[in-house]
Amino acid sequence: MIRLIGYFFGIGTVLFLVVAAGVAWYIGDVSKDLPDYEVLNSYEPPVTTRMHAASGELMAEYARERRLFLPIQAIPDRVKAAFLSAEDKNFYSHPGVDPVGLARAVVVNIQNLGSGRRPVGASTITQQVAKNFLLSSDQTIDRKVKEAILSFRIEQAYSKDRILELYLNEIFFGQNAYGIAGAALTYFNKSVNELTIAETAYLAALPKAPSNYHPFRHPERAIERRNWVIDRMVENGYVRTADGADAKALPLGVTPRKTGSYLFASEYFAEEVRRELIDRYGDDALYEGGLSVRTTLDPKLQAIARKALQKGLISYDERRGFRGPVTRIDVSADWGAPLSEVESLRDVPEWQLAVVLAASSDGVDVGLQPDREVSGAVAGERRTGTILPEDMKWAFRLDIAGDKRRNVKSAAEVLNPGDVVYVETIEKEGVKHLRLRQPPKVQGALVAMDPHTGRVLAMVGGFSFAQSEFNRATQAMRQPGSAFKPFVYAAALDNGYTPASVVLDAPIEIVSGGEIWKPKNYGGGSAGPSTLRLGIERSRNLMTVRLARDMGMNLVAEYAERFGLYDDMLPVLAMSLGSGETTVMRMASAYSVLANGGKQIKPSLIDRIQDRYGKTIFKHEERSCDACVATAWLTQEEPEVVDTREQVLDPMTAYQITSMMEGVVTRGTAASKVNLDRPTAGKTGTTNEEKDAWFMGYTADLVAGVFIGFDNPTPMGRGSTGGALAAPVFNEFMLGALEGTRPADFRVPQGMKLIAINRQTGMQAFEGEGGVIMEAFKPGTGPSDVYSVIGLEEFATGDAITTISPQANQAVNNGVGGLY
């Protein structure tokens, strides 16, 4: 018996050694190509880039995987407890693989043989880290062995907290949410420290199979799994029994966070910043780099700008008449469902879609589109209302096609049952009404900028980003028309001319290359000899052409490029009238130079960019202040901010042109259109056939530019000038933007002289003389002692290139009178 026992023992020992050798060989073979677990030291997961307004409000997020990395110290104990209870309750005691859990899984899987149930896993959190970071998800024995080996090694190399940190920031929760911070925002729009027991338990239930526990497709399963996690938390002593019972009685309470833009009216601004980030750093940095971007956007000014531009576009559009419904649907049965499927302008929340149910001379009965944000709204009670005739009076003028219009007398001639239209709820005398609306075809842009820093405070690129993502503020190349003239005059004032210099305003014909160009003043006519001030106030084209010709278009082109309006301007006379194409952003930047005293600025939509670690990798502010870092005052000099920006225009010239453009607002083409409680300078601009309407203007500390026109340049109709269309939008914006601020005068450079001159002749005025204005002159200059008219010499020379038409003679005589 003893020999028999010894015999079997020997055989067993040999078999054990053989098996052990085989296992050792297998493990050694598997271990040869194991990935390097030390890469976990440099773990940098794809992280969401977040964009903020200047006020700190979140504007937008960009990510391929919606993740925000949280260090383990920032993760609440309750969150850790939920995941430990759901995934690995022995995490802090096992060496990487849990033998007890593994044995339990083996027993359960044996019991479930033939039941069709999926095998139960026994992966610890460490094993999941090994699989997620270093291995594939293949369901093979080799992968499981590798996973176990790596788990032991990871446990030896890293602390438990570090392993848990990696796990909680890497796991997938569904809805493109990765990591616990991203999941908390995605499902509950909360930070992790705001999560309740029930919410934490639901998130801990998701990693097992996010699609199986979808909060809306499988709510019963989701609640069952959540409650199971709560029970485990109670069982493990993390939550009191009573608190667990209360948590289980709660609904899921999932409130999905919307994606895209989070700040009202910021879509155009955010998209422009997004493009700039891609140009600067590339796609991967934007969608995976976890950048923190602080923009220059002022949310208050942005909302005001949007409202002002939309009001101007709607006003013009409604004067042209009603173009018809958005679409048509069948209202003979249930109209709620088909109406709910019609796409609306999501970024114009003041408007909603409605379907016409009946129309008569007394008004139009409509059914309102169900609110998609309200659960069950589509199947719920139908909301209806009535559009009274006075609230759709503008639509009684029908825009049939092109320039054809037809007037009708009844609402029934405008709309028919089944027509889908936009309506807006307005209040008149305490009673709510529905007003008929239509998205305008005409478009526009508005840019507001701090002239001293170049920070873009507001930017609206069109009526609605949902309607069109094309940004007319930065992408549309348009002719500025007369809004370009201040830079022609600035070049003149910077090169020997004065605001009192006199230029002939009379018809002119210019022959070039066998072709004759006959520029005209808007509205026709001419005023004879006039000062530069009058020329810019009245926006005289003929004067501008003569002035540009007198000093040379090469000089005008140089100044236009210096101001950043064009990169390479063609030096031809037609360009002096703004026939070149530029953008609203460039125009606002150029006007900022006039407003700030001639300093070059770089328009910026971004104040600062930080990487995922908080290191600043870009800032717009380039001025330096070495002494600003002092921690205490030790009788040193006051710190000075060193401004190294280029001086592109004489400060005195900048003040002169500003003073002249104040006259545009008070007496010129923008008179009665711009009425602010402070000094305001500006210039209207209108191109041929009224295809583009502009107003560019500024106060001492704020520049704003407005453009209005069709995307496909089309005549907007007689009278659709910069003064009629764009200036009121500028005024509306500035009234809101400047409300509550103290008026400030334009800064007068030291040494400027103010001299009374005759507005017509430009010569020094006599005491008691009428038509007098105080004009600004640089040191060493002043009004001329001799009456001289630029362009008048053409009568005597008979210039072969430039000739004066016969009609000019009368204008000259009227202007000069008995003085010449």
Side-chain angles (χ1 to χ4, degrees):
M1 180 62 70
I2 293 174
R3 266 199 309 271
L4 188 61
I5 293 173
Y7 176 74
F8 283 115
F9 177 78
I11 293 176
T13 301
V14 172
L15 290 174
F16 173 78
L17 292 175
V18 170
V19 172
V23 171
W25 175 85
Y26 174 72
I27 292 176
D29 184 63
V30 169
S31 302
K32 287 179 182 178
D33 57 349
L34 282 179
D36 184 5
Y37 61 89
E38 292 185 358
V39 298
L40 299 179
N41 272 329
S42 56
Y43 172 62
E44 287 189 350
V47 179
T48 301
T49 287
R50 310 187 87 194
M51 189 184 299
H52 300 266
S55 60
E57 296 175 72
L58 181 64
M59 285 174 57
E61 293 180 325
Y62 302 98
R64 295 191 179 107
E65 298 179 1
R66 295 168 64 184
R67 176 191 284 108
L68 297 174
F69 184 85
L70 275 185
I72 193 66
Q73 296 84 357
I75 300 175
D77 289 340
R78 175 183 292 168
V79 174
K80 299 176 191 175
F83 283 87
L84 294 177
S85 297
E87 298 291 333
D88 188 0
K89 70 175 183 178
N90 298 320
F91 172 71
Y92 278 97
S93 60
H94 64 63
V97 175
D98 185 2
V100 176
L102 181 60
R104 185 186 308 113
V106 170
V107 171
V108 171
N109 288 333
I110 291 174
Q111 292 174 346
N112 290 338
L113 284 175
S115 66
R117 294 182 182 179
R118 184 176 178 178
V120 175
S123 294
T124 64
I125 285 177
T126 310
Q127 287 176 277
Q128 292 184 56
V129 167
K131 180 186 72 174
N132 293 337
F133 284 87
L134 305 172
L135 299 170
S136 69
S137 297
D138 297 338
Q139 296 291 328
T140 63
I141 295 176
D142 281 359
R143 199 269 297 166
K144 291 297 290 184
V145 172
K146 291 179 181 180
E147 181 183 293
I149 296 171
L150 285 172
S151 297
F152 286 122
R153 294 180 179 180
I154 290 171
E155 288 276 353
Q156 292 173 352
Y158 302 101
S159 69
K160 288 286 189 178
D161 280 348
R162 173 60 175 166
I163 296 169
L164 185 60
E165 178 183 78
L166 293 171
Y167 172 76
L168 290 176
N169 281 287
E170 178 67 15
I171 48 178
F172 177 58
F173 288 85
Q175 306 293 315
N176 198 34
Y178 291 78
I180 183 60
L185 287 172
T186 299
Y187 285 92
F188 298 106
N189 200 18
K190 291 181 177 181
S191 61
V192 290
N193 59 344
E194 296 175 313
L195 295 173
T196 65
I197 294 173
E199 292 165 347
T200 302
Y202 175 63
L203 294 182
L206 284 171
K208 182 177 178 65
S211 59
N212 289 346
Y213 307 118
H214 192 282
F216 303 118
R217 289 197 290 265
H218 307 295
E220 295 83 7
R221 288 189 208 165
I223 291 177
E224 181 182 356
R225 176 68 179 174
R226 180 205 66 180
N227 291 347
W228 179 86
V229 175
I230 294 174
D231 287 339
R232 301 291 77 73
M233 294 174 73
V234 172
E235 179 184 304
N236 295 329
Y238 295 122
V239 173
R240 293 182 301 180
T241 303
D243 293 337
D246 291 341
K248 289 168 64 176
L250 295 173
L252 282 178
V254 172
T255 53
R257 192 182 200 205
K258 68 174 184 177
T259 58
S261 179
Y262 298 101
L263 186 63
F264 179 65
S266 66
E267 291 86 357
Y268 282 111
F269 199 105
E271 176 60 16
E272 191 67 23
V273 174
R274 187 191 71 85
R275 285 196 291 264
E276 182 175 338
L277 292 172
I278 290 176
D279 289 342
R280 190 183 291 271
Y281 303 112
D283 281 2
D284 289 345
L286 174 65
Y287 293 105
E288 298 181 359
L291 302 177
S292 176
V293 184
R294 179 62 65 94
T295 71
T296 60
L297 181 74
D298 184 317
K300 175 189 172 186
L301 297 191
Q302 181 70 13
I304 295 171
R306 168 192 176 272
K307 182 178 180 181
L309 181 63
Q310 285 190 345
K311 180 179 178 181
L313 297 178
I314 292 170
S315 176
Y316 169 82
D317 188 71
E318 289 187 350
R319 290 197 298 271
R320 293 178 65 88
F322 183 64
R323 293 186 299 276
V326 176
T327 187
R328 288 185 54 80
I329 63 173
D330 182 12
V331 293
S332 60
D334 178 19
W335 51 263
L339 182 60
S340 69
E341 297 303 316
V342 181
E343 285 296 326
S344 61
L345 298 177
R346 59 185 179 277
D347 58 344
V348 189
E350 303 93 335
W351 294 10
Q352 62 184 125
L353 286 169
V355 60
V356 176
L357 302 177
S360 67
S361 59
D362 296 328
V364 176
D365 295 330
V366 296
L368 303 177
Q369 186 180 58
D371 188 350
R372 295 186 179 187
E373 299 298 322
V374 179
S375 178
V378 173
E381 182 181 354
R382 302 288 180 250
R383 295 181 300 130
T384 60
T386 301
I387 308 174
L388 299 177
E390 58 265 30
D391 294 320
M392 55 179 293
K393 193 73 175 178
W394 64 271
F396 285 15
R397 189 184 193 202
L398 301 179
D399 184 350
I400 302 172
D403 293 330
K404 295 181 180 180
R405 307 284 187 275
R406 180 167 64 90
N407 293 326
V408 298
K409 297 181 180 179
S410 169
E413 297 179 77
V414 178
L415 295 172
N416 298 298
D419 287 347
V420 177
V421 295
Y422 281 101
V423 296
E424 180 181 8
T425 302
I426 59 175
E427 190 169 313
K428 295 189 295 185
E429 299 178 354
V431 179
K432 292 184 177 181
H433 294 248
L434 292 179
R435 194 180 196 283
L436 181 65
R437 292 296 194 190
Q438 75 177 356
K441 288 181 65 177
V442 70
Q443 289 290 348
L446 189 156
V447 172
M449 186 182 296
D450 182 335
H452 306 294
T453 63
R455 298 176 70 247
V456 179
L457 305 175
M459 178 178 66
V460 185
F463 176 78
S464 162
F465 188 79
Q467 179 190 39
S468 168
E469 296 183 10
F470 182 66
N471 191 335
R472 288 100 186 153
T474 59
Q475 295 177 302
M477 302 296 294
R478 307 296 294 227
Q479 295 178 330
S482 294
F484 176 74
K485 290 177 182 174
F487 305 102
V488 178
Y489 284 78
L493 295 173
D494 222 23
N495 288 275
Y497 299 79
T498 75
S501 296
V502 179
V503 180
L504 181 62
D505 179 25
I508 188 174
E509 295 179 357
I510 298 175
V511 181
S512 178
E515 296 185 359
I516 299 177
W517 179 45
K518 298 180 181 180
K520 297 179 181 180
N521 290 327
Y522 186 84
S526 52
S530 303
T531 62
L532 295 193
R533 172 178 285 276
L534 284 174
I536 200 167
E537 286 182 359
R538 301 294 178 184
S539 197
R540 299 295 185 179
N541 293 338
L542 300 174
M543 284 183 64
T544 304
V545 170
R546 281 194 171 87
L547 177 63
R549 179 174 176 269
D550 189 66
M551 62 179 164
M553 277 303 297
N554 285 329
L555 182 63
V556 175
E558 177 193 334
Y559 271 74
E561 293 166 14
R562 186 188 300 181
F563 278 90
L565 286 165
Y566 305 105
D567 294 326
D568 187 15
M569 175 177 157
L570 189 65
V572 297
L573 280 174
M575 295 290 283
S576 68
L577 300 182
S579 61
E581 294 180 337
T582 188
T583 66
V584 182
M585 182 67 78
R586 285 194 168 201
M587 288 289 286
S589 178
Y591 270 78
S592 293
V593 175
L594 301 177
N596 70 23
K599 287 282 190 181
Q600 180 69 66
I601 64 165
K602 297 178 182 178
S604 177
L605 283 71
I606 301 173
D607 276 338
R608 184 192 71 232
I609 303 174
Q610 293 172 298
D611 64 15
R612 67 171 71 207
Y613 303 108
K615 179 184 177 182
T616 297
I617 57 176
F618 168 82
K619 64 176 181 178
H620 171 64
E621 180 58 78
E622 297 179 347
R623 294 178 298 175
S624 61
C625 179
D626 296 334
C628 289
V629 297
T631 57
W633 182 67
L634 302 173
T635 69
Q636 71 266 38
E637 294 292 329
E638 290 184 7
E640 180 181 355
V641 178
V642 180
D643 192 347
T644 58
R645 293 177 299 177
E646 180 185 359
Q647 190 78 39
V648 298
L649 188 68
D650 186 332
M652 292 189 175
T653 299
Y655 178 75
Q656 286 178 316
I657 196 70
T658 294
S659 175
M660 293 163 66
M661 286 196 290
E662 283 188 86
V664 173
V665 172
T666 56
R667 296 176 296 275
T669 53
S672 76
K673 303 296 184 181
V674 177
N675 301 287
L676 305 179
D677 62 348
R678 63 200 67 204
T680 308
K683 184 68 187 75
T684 56
T686 310
T687 61
N688 289 343
E689 298 181 294
E690 293 89 4
K691 292 180 181 178
D692 306 81
W694 295 72
F695 188 84
M696 305 297 304
Y698 54 90
T699 60
D701 298 306
L702 183 61
V703 172
V706 178
F707 154 76
I708 292 177
F710 290 102
D711 285 341
N712 183 18
T714 305
M716 292 186 288
R718 191 64 178 170
S720 299
T721 63
L725 297 185
V729 175
F730 170 87
N731 190 66
E732 179 90 4
F733 167 73
M734 294 296 271
L735 284 173
L738 299 173
E739 184 179 5
T741 64
R742 297 179 61 181
D745 294 326
F746 291 113
R747 299 160 182 81
V748 183
Q750 190 173 359
M752 292 292 294
K753 298 182 297 182
L754 296 177
I755 302 175
I757 68 164
N758 183 293
R759 286 174 48 82
Q760 185 67 35
T761 67
M763 300 177 69
Q764 188 163 357
F766 300 105
E767 186 177 350
E769 185 178 348
V772 175
I773 188 171
M774 298 300 294
E775 199 62 85
F777 292 91
K778 301 175 184 177
T781 68
S784 176
D785 295 331
V786 179
Y787 188 70
S788 174
V789 180
I790 297 170
L792 196 61
E793 68 278 3
E794 295 162 352
F795 281 107
T797 62
D799 194 300
I801 297 179
T802 305
T803 59
I804 296 188
S805 64
Q807 293 86 349
N809 292 311
Q810 186 62 42
V812 172
N813 292 331
N814 291 341
V816 177
L819 292 174
Y820 191 87

